[in-house]
Amino acid sequence: MDRTSYIVLGVCMVLLLAWQPLTEKLLSGSDQDVAAQDQVIRVTAAGEDANETGETSSQPETSAAVEPIEIEPVAPAISDTSTTATAPGRPEAVISDTPSLTAPRGTGAAVPEDFEEERPLIETEKATFEFSTRYGGLSRIYLKEFQRIITCDNPGNITETNRVVLNDKNQFSILGIENLKSFDTGVGYKYSLDESRRRITFWKDLPNGLQLANEFRISTNLYQVTGRSQIKNASGGEPVKVPQVRRSVGSTVVTTAGEMDVDLRLSYLIGDNYKKTDIRWFENKIMGCIPGQPRQQYIEPSTEIRWAAMSNQFFTLIVEPRTRDMSGLVAVPKDVVFQVDNAPKSHKLIEAAFFYPEKILAPGESVVHEYDIYAGPKSFKILNQLPEQKHRIADFGFFGFFSKALLLGMNTLHSMGLSYALSILTITFIIKMAFWPLTHASTKSMKRMAKLQPQMKEIQEKYKEDPTRMQQKLMKFMKDNKVNPMGGCLPMLLQMPVFIGFFFMIRTAIELRGESFLWICDLSQSDTVASLAGFPINPMPILMGVTMLIQTRLTPPAAGMDPMQANMMRYMPLLFVGILYNYSSGLTMYWTFQNILSIVQTKLTRIDESKLGEVVPESDGPSPAAARKPRRPKTWMEAKTLAMKQAQKKKKGRR
């Protein structure tokens, strides 16, 4: 590489180190914006939400049906690290209680099948929240701004039957008690709905004197819910044992026709440690393909779980407990069938629940838990403004800081009037221009290496019986001809983080969902235009493969590569076509355009053969560079003698 390439390489390394804090600052916004957003998300101190005119609604009279439960007001807004005060005498969570979870979770069969279930609704600008009297919780969330199945025939056609629905196939309601059978009750919940304040309260009395209650409050214009659960001993005289409680935190859900099982994920935060699992863990396949013994339960026995999230490719459901007294988190797989294009399609989902230890409640004592719930798009812009590091749910991978920077650039270009597709192409062009000097140096190095191929093959043939000496001779030959074997690879390796960042950004950016370009109806899905005997025809991955083959033909093989390896590398693009065939068309569009720019650059890089220099033949003596370079003196005496000789030569020259 020349001097300019080294300078560009150094600048890129500096940007690599400074990129993450820079993008974090740009994407996170000011502290005032985050604080203002947090005030909207949290309920007010009096438990009242401001209406559109800025006034607060007055507290309506509580119906007589709610009086036995004695639901206390929701706690005032608290900081992100605070916890709600707990009832006196509540013990700490005991990890030793977790072995009892090896039994299957409760099925909720205590509520009879002929129970007349009611499903009250609360409407907001962005979503419809559906509740259930069977388990006294939040059963479904209908997102009004997002279309479930997107086709070329119905772009932007968001109907009541074609909306994204979160927690759709979960048999339990969010914050509902899954093991109701343990409580020996045969009736559902009663409820009181206050639509003006977007609040609903569920309650039920058990034969043993316990009272169960759940309360939900909906934020005005965000996908935010505040939940409050209470178990109270209202027997009036005797202590009552509360069995182990498992409260549902929801399930993953399929929201698009091309949803992959790997995208259906449970993630959670313990301290600052972000953990996740998906269906592959439950399937337990050997090397990812050989069937193994399926796992039935996933248990995280921790009292420090800060939140749990049930996510798919573009949407997430987050439940954050405000108290840290649970025993842990449990998840199980579930087989469900979705109707896609009027045909059934089987999927495996994940259902999860927080579990709490057994407790004996004295008369009048109660256990109260509060939760912050988010149910909406997995938008990094929104998640980055939520507390407790919820932006990590976006999960951009190891090179996430590149993904964030590219997402910021794409959204900036879109705000300037470009479509998202043109924004991706523009960013690709800008990146290609930024890496032009490095790619030019790489191309020059590869062409120089191609010129040396005949002599290098002679050396390989000459010393094939002695591999060690052959490598020594090859390295000496390349050094004599001023060729760095890494000169063609290093610039390409430097571009890999950008490509990987692009890969994860395009796969997870909800901004691309429903965006069209040319024949592509949805950049977040494959660009299927037809099917042949049930096999989808996707033009963009095919174009990507063609451009990769052309680029491979223009790239000389690496030094020392045998013909078999060269043929494998030549047809490697076909493997990538198979891997990415059903991936998002936005990704294959980016890669195709990247290949086209690389082909153009290779054609434009006209390197004069005379400037490559003559080939220095292989020899056993020192390299020409070493022969021309004077030996440095090793001792003080040698240095003094050398200086005297140089002085004498100068005197003779003057005469």
Side-chain angles (χ1 to χ4, degrees):
M1 295 189 296
D2 56 14
R3 182 179 179 183
T4 304
S5 299
Y6 280 113
I7 294 174
V8 174
L9 182 63
V11 172
C12 292
M13 293 301 295
V14 172
L15 290 176
L16 177 66
L17 297 175
W19 207 278
Q20 183 171 9
L22 180 63
T23 53
E24 290 286 350
K25 184 174 180 61
L26 291 174
L27 288 168
S28 60
S30 64
D31 296 337
Q32 291 84 354
D33 293 339
V34 175
Q37 181 76 9
D38 190 49
Q39 287 181 359
V40 177
I41 291 171
R42 300 285 188 181
V43 293
T44 57
E48 299 176 350
D49 297 325
N51 58 23
E52 297 179 357
T53 61
E55 300 174 354
T56 56
S57 303
S58 59
Q59 174 73 27
E61 295 183 4
T62 305
S63 65
V66 186
E67 293 179 358
I69 301 301
E70 299 179 5
I71 295 295
E72 302 170 2
V74 173
I78 55 177
S79 63
D80 298 337
T81 57
S82 301
T83 57
T84 306
T86 58
R90 179 165 58 190
E92 296 294 330
V94 182
I95 301 299
S96 60
D97 289 339
T98 57
S100 61
L101 285 175
T102 54
R105 296 192 304 164
T107 61
V111 181
E113 292 299 329
D114 59 352
F115 168 72
E116 188 175 347
E117 182 180 13
E118 295 185 61
R119 294 184 175 271
L121 305 175
I122 294 182
E123 298 275 352
T124 67
E125 180 182 348
K126 295 182 178 293
T128 299
F129 297 86
E130 179 185 275
F131 300 86
S132 170
T133 57
R134 180 177 291 274
Y135 294 101
L138 177 59
S139 59
R140 293 184 181 89
I141 303 94
Y142 299 85
L143 304 182
K144 297 181 177 180
E145 298 179 344
F146 297 97
Q147 186 176 352
R148 181 172 176 264
I149 304 298
I150 302 173
T151 64
C152 294
D153 299 330
N154 64 348
N157 183 23
I158 305 176
T159 63
E160 291 188 1
T161 58
N162 194 24
R163 293 182 294 181
V164 169
V165 185
L166 301 185
N167 202 50
D168 185 23
K169 296 294 183 177
N170 187 10
Q171 71 177 106
F172 305 106
S173 301
I174 300 171
L175 299 191
I177 299 177
E178 294 185 353
N179 54 330
L180 273 178
K181 192 173 182 180
S182 302
F183 288 82
D184 190 26
T185 176
V187 295
Y189 284 77
K190 299 178 181 179
Y191 74 95
S192 173
L193 175 62
D194 185 352
E195 294 186 9
S196 63
R197 300 183 61 206
R198 300 173 304 283
R199 182 177 71 177
I200 188 169
T201 303
F202 296 91
W203 71 94
K204 72 187 309 182
D205 295 329
L206 305 186
N208 61 358
L210 289 179
Q211 292 178 342
L212 310 179
N214 287 333
E215 183 182 75
F216 298 88
R217 300 192 183 205
I218 313 299
S219 176
T220 307
N221 56 357
L222 296 176
Y223 308 95
Q224 194 80 2
V225 182
T226 300
R228 195 164 190 264
S229 301
Q230 176 179 290
I231 301 177
K232 182 177 181 179
N233 181 2
S235 63
E238 296 293 333
V240 179
K241 180 181 178 180
V242 178
Q244 187 185 73
V245 175
R246 291 190 287 272
R247 291 200 179 274
S248 174
V249 298
S251 73
T252 57
V253 65
V254 175
T255 55
T256 58
E259 197 91 59
M260 298 182 180
D261 288 343
V262 67
D263 294 320
L264 307 178
R265 175 182 303 166
L266 163 66
S267 58
Y268 53 96
L269 191 69
I270 301 179
D272 289 327
N273 187 16
Y274 175 74
K275 294 187 175 183
K276 60 185 178 182
T277 189
D278 54 45
I279 288 298
R280 293 175 299 179
W281 185 90
F282 292 98
E283 292 177 342
N284 194 26
K285 292 182 178 179
I286 302 172
M287 300 181 66
C289 57
I290 303 175
Q293 181 63 33
R295 298 185 177 106
Q296 300 301 320
Q297 276 195 140
Y298 179 92
I299 299 177
E300 181 63 64
S302 174
T303 61
E304 296 299 324
I305 298 176
R306 297 166 67 175
W307 48 257
M310 315 299 296
S311 307
N312 60 14
Q313 187 175 1
F314 296 113
F315 300 92
T316 185
L317 173 60
I318 313 171
V319 179
E320 175 192 349
R322 293 189 183 180
T323 55
R324 305 283 191 267
D325 64 334
M326 68 183 67
S327 294
L329 177 71
V330 60
V332 297
K334 179 183 179 182
D335 292 311
V336 297
V337 176
F338 285 87
Q339 291 292 327
V340 178
D341 297 332
N342 298 321
K345 185 176 182 181
S346 177
H347 271 281
K348 280 187 177 292
L349 305 184
I350 302 175
E351 294 180 350
F354 293 131
F355 59 91
Y356 296 86
E358 296 179 354
K359 179 177 175 59
I360 297 178
L361 293 181
E365 185 182 2
S366 62
V367 179
V368 179
H369 296 105
E370 295 184 356
Y371 305 87
D372 291 316
I373 303 170
Y374 172 85
K378 199 169 63 176
S379 167
F380 182 80
K381 183 178 180 181
I382 297 177
L383 296 177
N384 200 43
Q385 294 180 345
L386 298 179
E388 299 287 345
Q389 305 181 42
K390 295 187 180 71
H391 65 276
R392 300 177 74 171
I393 297 172
D395 199 8
F396 289 122
F398 183 77
F399 295 104
F401 46 91
F402 282 107
S403 299
K404 297 172 188 176
L406 293 168
L407 179 62
L408 176 64
M410 184 182 71
N411 288 332
T412 301
L413 291 174
H414 179 69
S415 65
M416 297 168 62
L418 293 179
S419 67
Y420 280 111
L422 292 179
S423 299
I424 292 175
L425 298 180
T426 302
I427 292 175
T428 307
F429 181 79
I430 293 173
I431 293 175
K432 195 64 180 178
M433 293 300 102
F435 282 110
W436 185 283
L438 288 176
T439 309
H440 177 79
S442 175
T443 304
K444 184 178 179 180
S445 177
M446 287 189 293
K447 291 200 173 188
R448 175 68 175 172
M449 189 71 72
K451 187 177 181 180
L452 301 178
Q453 284 297 309
Q455 290 79 4
M456 295 178 70
K457 288 182 179 179
E458 291 179 3
I459 295 174
Q460 291 171 344
E461 184 66 24
K462 183 178 180 180
Y463 299 101
K464 62 181 179 180
E465 302 297 335
D466 190 352
T468 303
R469 193 176 183 191
M470 180 182 68
Q471 290 297 325
Q472 292 175 350
K473 289 294 183 179
L474 285 174
M475 295 302 296
K476 181 178 180 299
F477 177 73
M478 288 187 286
K479 183 178 180 181
D480 292 347
N481 286 275
K482 300 179 181 180
V483 173
N484 185 353
M486 292 296 295
C489 300
L490 188 59
M492 303 303 295
L493 289 176
L494 190 63
Q495 299 177 53
M496 283 303 294
V498 178
F499 166 73
I500 296 174
F502 234 128
F503 175 84
F504 281 97
M505 186 274 284
I506 293 177
R507 280 210 73 236
T508 58
I510 194 172
E511 289 86 350
L512 300 181
R513 194 172 187 271
E515 291 292 321
S516 60
F517 180 68
L518 298 178
W519 68 85
I520 303 173
C521 303
D522 184 0
L523 287 173
S524 68
Q525 301 298 317
S526 57
D527 60 326
T528 304
V529 295
S531 60
L532 182 62
F535 184 79
I537 306 300
N538 302 335
M540 192 58 74
I542 297 174
L543 289 176
M544 181 193 72
V546 171
T547 55
M548 290 182 72
L549 286 172
I550 297 174
Q551 185 182 4
T552 305
R553 293 293 189 278
L554 297 176
T555 304
M561 182 178 295
D562 58 54
M564 182 176 293
Q565 289 177 323
N567 286 330
M568 289 179 60
M569 293 300 297
R570 188 173 293 114
Y571 294 104
M572 185 67 72
L574 299 179
L575 177 62
F576 281 96
V577 172
I579 294 174
L580 301 178
Y581 193 77
N582 289 316
Y583 269 66
S584 64
S585 54
L587 177 64
T588 51
M589 179 191 69
Y590 151 72
W591 204 333
T592 302
F593 188 58
Q594 162 80 11
N595 293 338
I596 293 173
L597 292 178
S598 297
I599 294 170
V600 172
Q601 183 178 14
T602 304
K603 290 292 187 180
L604 292 177
T605 306
R606 303 289 185 181
I607 299 177
D608 190 353
E609 294 290 334
S610 62
K611 294 183 179 180
L612 295 176
E614 295 297 328
V615 177
V616 178
E618 182 260 339
S619 66
D620 293 328
S623 64
R628 292 192 300 268
K629 187 177 181 180
R631 187 177 66 85
R632 297 183 61 182
K634 296 182 179 180
T635 64
W636 175 82
M637 185 62 69
E638 287 184 3
K640 186 174 181 180
T641 303
L642 181 62
M644 292 175 63
K645 289 181 179 180
Q646 290 176 349
Q648 290 176 359
K649 288 182 179 180
K650 289 181 179 179
K651 287 181 180 180
K652 290 180 180 180
R654 293 192 190 103
R655 294 175 185 175

